[in-house]
Amino acid sequence: MTARKFSTKDLQVSAFDPVTYLDSDEAIAAYLELAFAENDPVFLMAALNDVIRARGVAEIASKAGLGRESLYKTLKPGAQPRLSTVLQLLGALDIRLSITPAKSARTAKKTASKKSAATKRARMTSTPGRPVQAKMAPKPAVTTKRTSKTAATRSRLPG
């Protein structure tokens, strides 16, 4: 059996265009959020360009109060638009910018879950008209003196 050699004529490659996947508000928000996370202004402007093309350049230009040609100049690679222009474009896209601390997402989620667990515990122990009383489980007894293997094992078992 002979192996077939492939040439570049055998391959059909098309350029990836994210615009085809930016079909919902959630997808657009996630795309721009990831672009902001890269902390690269050139990448962010390229992502913003993709979102504007997905929504329609003429429509976004009119909502932002810009001419279509001016919008193209703003979005071309290498352009450094003013923050006010970027905010106008985000407003025309019905996207609001929000600022959060630069903590890792995992740390923020852990903190939020700890706070919600504490809130749930407080709700469970409170009664209307009475102050909240914390209910704590008793600590298991620990023996410091090992008299036998069985006694040491029993002291470690819960209950």
Side-chain angles (χ1 to χ4, degrees), residues 23 38 76 82 127 142:
D23 54 357
E38 289 296 316
K76 92 176 170 186
R82 293 180 182 189
T127 311
V142 178

Side-chain angles (χ1 to χ4, degrees), residues 61-142:
S62 68
K63 281 184 179 180
L66 300 170
R68 210 175 79 238
E69 295 80 19
S70 175
L71 181 56
Y72 281 121
K73 286 180 184 178
T74 300
L75 296 173
K76 92 176 170 186
Q80 295 181 350
R82 293 180 182 189
L83 179 60
S84 61
T85 306
V86 173
L87 292 176
Q88 280 179 309
L89 294 173
L90 292 175
L93 290 166
D94 293 326
I95 294 175
R96 185 179 61 200
L97 217 55
S98 101
I99 308 294
T100 57
K103 292 181 181 178
S104 70
R106 181 177 288 168
T107 305
K109 286 181 184 178
K110 284 182 182 178
T111 305
S113 66
K114 285 180 184 177
K115 287 181 182 178
S116 66
T119 304
K120 286 178 186 176
R121 280 193 302 265
R123 285 184 189 152
M124 290 173 29
T125 60
S126 67
T127 311
R130 287 190 185 172
V132 176
Q133 296 178 354
K135 295 179 182 178
M136 296 179 63
K139 291 183 179 180
V142 178

